[in-house]
Amino acid sequence: MHQTGQIYRPPSEASVQRLEVTIGCSHNKCSFCTMYRKTPFRVAPLEDVEMDLKELHDRGEKITRIYLTNGDPFVLGTDRLVKIAELVHQYLPEVEVLTCYASIQNLKAKSLEDLKLLKSVGYDELYVGLETAYAPAVKLINKGFTVEEAYENIGKLKEAGMKYSALLMLGIGGKGHSKESVEATAALLNKYPPYRVSPLSTAVLRGSELEELCDKGEYVQLTERELVEEEKMLLRALKINDCIFFGSHPYNLITISGVLPQDREEIIKHLDSEMAAWDRDQP
């Protein structure tokens, strides 16, 4: 199996078979991210993709789900993605879902008809790196889209019948902006409900542009307690049914998960309990 450079995938896909179709990230300019800075973006040859699928077929395992790597495979053109799906179904006919990271930029480049076609050949449950819908923060982190474009393209994704998982960054609005950040983000998610919300605490990585902004005082990090309080705000602001709330990313100090709305109060109670334990542990 081909594996080039760093491989990142959501925790929920840890046990899912992966298939390399791109290397690196096509945008690779987000101010908070250093994951692919040393990995130039390129497209994996179809010959390599087919070779890997042959290998998986020869193993004889039952595979029903494929996770495409790397940074944002949905940047590939519709024809290319359809060809990859055809190869997958040729060698692994039991595969039901093809999933991957997808950016708002990736969605912008595809028409509604493109998305409906991709849905029909198995693409679904995409991981969309929204991070936030708070306009100042979207600009700060250089995601390459506007809030208006996020609304337009997530709406298009939903109209095509695709499910999506919303990847969010707690605290990315900066100190003192939790309320407006949560309100803006929840408004988008409530309008176009994801099947999963995955918040992670913002970490300022060494060598990132966000670190430089911190040094200049243009971005001020939230404390651990403020991050948890923001997560509680988000939980209360989301008005979505049958939505998985996956707050168990390794960056989160308190790991929690459940289904909204039924587990909302239990999750908040657990967060409060853990924060109370922090106070008891203080000398």
Side-chain angles (χ1 to χ4, degrees), residues 29-241:
K29 296 176 183 176
C30 295
S31 66
F32 58 85
C33 181
T34 61
M35 293 194 297
Y36 301 105
R37 291 300 166 88
K38 296 181 180 180
T39 306
F41 175 78
R42 63 188 189 277
V43 177
L46 276 178
E47 294 80 5
D48 291 354
V49 174
E50 187 166 9
M51 188 185 305
D52 289 347
L53 289 168
K54 286 179 180 177
E55 180 179 334
L56 292 173
H57 173 267
D58 291 344
R59 290 181 189 176
E61 302 171 2
K62 181 179 180 180
I63 298 174
T64 61
R65 185 181 181 92
I66 292 282
Y67 181 78
L68 305 180
T69 63
N70 216 323
D72 59 337
F74 218 61
V75 71
L76 295 175
T78 299
D79 290 347
R80 182 84 169 198
L81 288 170
V82 169
K83 179 59 178 177
I84 290 169
E86 290 173 347
L87 287 171
V88 169
H89 296 313
Q90 176 185 338
Y91 288 99
L92 303 170
E94 293 178 316
V95 168
E96 299 171 354
V97 175
L98 294 162
T99 186
C100 62
Y101 280 123
S103 69
I104 299 297
Q105 289 177 307
N106 299 162
L107 299 177
K108 282 167 57 179
K110 293 176 174 60
S111 68
L112 176 60
E113 290 70 28
D114 288 334
L115 294 176
K116 287 181 177 179
L117 174 59
L118 293 169
K119 164 70 174 177
S120 74
V121 297
Y123 290 92
D124 204 2
E125 301 180 13
L126 301 180
Y127 290 83
V128 178
L130 177 64
E131 324 307 355
T132 179
Y134 177 49
V138 172
K139 182 177 180 180
L140 177 86
I141 60 181
N142 194 27
K143 287 293 294 185
F145 64 83
T146 65
V147 173
E148 291 75 19
E149 289 170 332
Y151 269 90
E152 178 184 352
N153 289 283
I154 291 179
K156 186 170 63 178
L157 187 71
K158 294 288 286 184
E159 187 175 351
M162 283 191 186
K163 297 178 182 177
Y164 80 102
S165 179
L167 307 180
L168 307 179
M169 295 180 67
L170 297 170
I172 196 60
K175 185 179 286 290
H177 298 288
S178 287
K179 183 176 184 293
E180 51 263 55
S181 182
V182 165
E183 288 177 349
T185 304
L188 175 54
L189 302 186
N190 289 337
K191 184 174 179 65
Y192 299 118
Y195 82 97
R196 180 192 286 118
V197 174
S198 297
L200 63 88
S201 297
T202 296
V204 178
L205 302 178
R206 182 173 298 176
S208 68
E209 285 83 359
L210 191 59
E211 181 185 44
E212 296 177 10
L213 293 171
C214 276
D215 292 343
K216 295 175 183 176
E218 296 176 21
Y219 173 78
V220 181
Q221 288 180 272
L222 274 64
T223 66
E224 292 171 348
R225 184 176 295 278
E226 287 169 338
L227 287 167
V228 176
E229 290 295 344
E230 183 170 308
E231 187 170 22
K232 288 165 56 182
M233 285 186 204
L234 178 64
L235 280 159
R236 293 190 173 105
L238 291 174
K239 309 300 180 185
I240 308 172
N241 293 322

